[in-house]
């Protein structure tokens, strides 16, 4: 410390030695110990950031776009037209007693959400690498925001599906009360898989290149373009380990009445989705401290 001498008389107050010290605040961020899956208190504390990222994801998707939210309709609608021509007319696949167009579109609505949510969730850490390396916030907010922002497209597609149901004269049954549970299972599946893939993608960029191809392959592992009746009965329980099987068949049951509500498929799919979500969150948390270094 440097003392300053002066020949001028000093007042009583100034005669007392004054000690000025700079207050230095030091924040230490340490790696978490243990196997904590989700820090809910921290996520709640950063809820404003989560809302901002969801809103930004919606704006970015439609900014400077001539068609805007029309893209939320075009993707499943054009897929429905192609599938109807190829699989409904040329291959003449059965559609459980309803027109093939609405049969495929009812499956495409949850599948399109799942595919887009997993794809965007996987890329969420890589595309926000500049933020990750500069400030701290719970990284789990990024894939969760990407997954939730896709609900806007899903809601628009559901409105189009309602219009098609009116056009084809199809009325839903009591199973429609299960739709919120089906949506929750759909989001849980997308979130769990997204956690796994985004944590892998920031360390191994090959995952980003392969995700589009992987999602296309997964579509044929779910009953999107064909009826589950094509799967031999003895293998249907094994087939339903894929959670999207129960989701798609549940939507068809509730909205089209093609079959009874597939409780067995939903039960098996829920168990799988919980395992994927819990293990994905756990893996994400274990790798979280490395993200800033490898981003």
């Amino acid at each position: 410390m440097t003392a300053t001498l002066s020949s001028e008389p000093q007042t009583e107050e100034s005669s007392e030695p004054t000690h000025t010290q700079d207050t230095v605040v030091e924040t230490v961020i340490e790696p978490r110990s243990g196997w904590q899956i989700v820090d809910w208190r921290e996520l709640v504390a950063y809820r404003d950031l989560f809302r901002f990222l969801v809103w930004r994801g919606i704006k970015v998707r439609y900014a400077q776009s001539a068609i805007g939210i029309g893209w939320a309709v075009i993707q499943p609608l054009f897929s429905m037209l192609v599938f109807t021509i190829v699989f409904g007319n040329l291959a003449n696949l059965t559609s459980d007693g309803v027109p093939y167009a609405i049969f495929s579109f009812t499956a495409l609505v949850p599948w399109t959400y799942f595919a887009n949510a997993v794809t965007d969730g996987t890329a969420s850490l890589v595309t926000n690498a500049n933020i990750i390396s500069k400030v701290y916030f719970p990284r789990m907010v990024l894939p969760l925001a990407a997954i939730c922002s896709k609900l806007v497209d899903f809601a628009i597609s559901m409105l189009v599906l309602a219009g098609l149901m009116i056009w084809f004269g199809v009325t839903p049954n009591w199973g429609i009360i299960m739709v919120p549970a089906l949506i929750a299972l759909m989001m849980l599946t997308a979130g769990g898989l997204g956690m796994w893939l985004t944590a892998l993608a920031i360390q191994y960029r090959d995952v980003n290149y392969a995700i589009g191809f992987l999602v296309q392959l997964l579509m044929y592992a779910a009953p999107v373009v064909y009826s589950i009746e094509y799967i031999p009965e003895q293998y249907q329980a094994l087939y339903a380990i894929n959670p999207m099987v129960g989701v798609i068949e549940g939507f068809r049951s509730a909205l089209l009445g093609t079959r009874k509500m597939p409780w067995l498929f939903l039960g098996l799919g829920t168990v799988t989705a919980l395992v994927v979500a819990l293990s994905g969150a756990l893996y994400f948390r274990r790798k979280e401290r490395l993200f800033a270094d490898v981003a």
Side-chain angles (χ1 to χ4, degrees):
M1 180 178 292
T2 303
T4 303
L5 300 177
S6 173
S7 59
E8 296 181 357
Q10 298 179 342
T11 62
E12 185 178 350
E13 291 78 5
S14 61
S15 62
E16 295 180 356
T18 301
H19 301 283
T20 303
Q21 294 181 341
D22 294 331
T23 303
V24 178
V25 178
E26 183 178 1
T27 302
V28 179
I29 301 175
E30 297 179 337
R32 296 178 181 83
S33 60
W35 290 80
Q36 186 181 19
I37 296 178
V38 179
D39 189 345
W40 295 107
R41 183 179 297 178
E42 190 180 46
L43 287 180
V44 171
Y46 283 86
R47 59 186 179 279
D48 290 338
L49 174 63
F50 174 75
R51 284 195 288 262
F52 169 77
L53 291 173
V54 171
W55 176 242
R56 190 191 67 169
I58 297 170
K59 286 185 65 177
V60 166
R61 179 167 172 78
Y62 301 118
Q64 297 181 342
S65 170
I67 301 178
I69 61 173
W71 287 111
V73 178
I74 287 175
Q75 186 179 0
L77 200 61
F78 274 61
S79 297
M80 179 199 72
L81 292 174
V82 172
F83 292 162
T84 300
I85 294 171
V86 175
F87 297 105
N89 295 335
L90 299 180
N92 200 25
L93 295 183
T94 182
S95 53
D96 294 346
V98 296
Y100 188 88
I102 196 168
F103 172 83
S104 60
F105 193 82
T106 304
L108 279 167
V109 171
W111 179 259
T112 303
Y113 166 83
F114 173 78
N116 290 336
V118 170
T119 303
D120 283 13
T122 300
S124 60
L125 288 180
V126 176
T127 53
N128 291 283
N130 56 336
I131 304 176
I132 294 173
S133 58
K134 289 182 174 63
V135 295
Y136 174 77
F137 59 91
R139 312 311 194 198
M140 197 173 286
V141 168
L142 290 171
L144 291 180
I147 289 165
C148 289
S149 65
K150 295 302 170 193
L151 285 175
V152 175
D153 291 2
F154 176 77
I156 295 170
S157 298
M158 285 295 287
L159 291 176
V160 177
L161 176 59
L164 287 174
M165 291 174 65
I166 294 172
W167 175 266
F168 286 104
V170 178
T171 54
N173 52 57
W174 67 268
I176 198 170
I177 61 175
M178 284 294 296
V179 169
L182 297 173
I183 294 173
L185 179 57
M186 176 184 71
M187 293 181 66
L188 182 66
T189 308
L193 192 57
M195 291 287 178
W196 268 107
L197 293 176
T198 192
L200 289 170
I202 197 166
Q203 195 165 5
Y204 308 104
R205 303 302 166 91
D206 310 71
V207 177
N208 283 311
Y209 305 137
I211 187 63
F213 176 65
L214 178 65
V215 167
Q216 278 190 327
L217 286 181
L218 286 177
M219 189 188 75
Y220 294 100
V224 177
V225 299
Y226 54 85
S227 169
I228 197 171
E229 298 301 325
Y230 286 103
I231 305 297
E233 190 173 352
Q234 63 269 30
Y235 298 123
Q236 287 187 3
L238 181 64
Y239 180 64
I241 290 176
N242 177 359
M244 290 307 293
V245 172
V247 171
I248 290 171
E249 287 300 310
F251 267 90
R252 282 176 176 155
S253 171
L255 302 178
L256 306 181
T258 54
R259 59 178 299 151
K260 294 180 180 177
M261 186 58 68
W263 298 112
L264 176 62
F265 296 168
L266 291 174
L268 292 171
T270 301
V271 172
T272 307
L274 284 173
V275 171
V276 173
L278 292 176
S279 60
L282 195 60
Y283 181 73
F284 188 96
R285 294 280 290 178
R286 293 295 295 178
K287 295 293 181 183
E288 190 175 21
R289 58 192 173 89
L290 304 176
F291 291 164
D293 297 327
V294 298

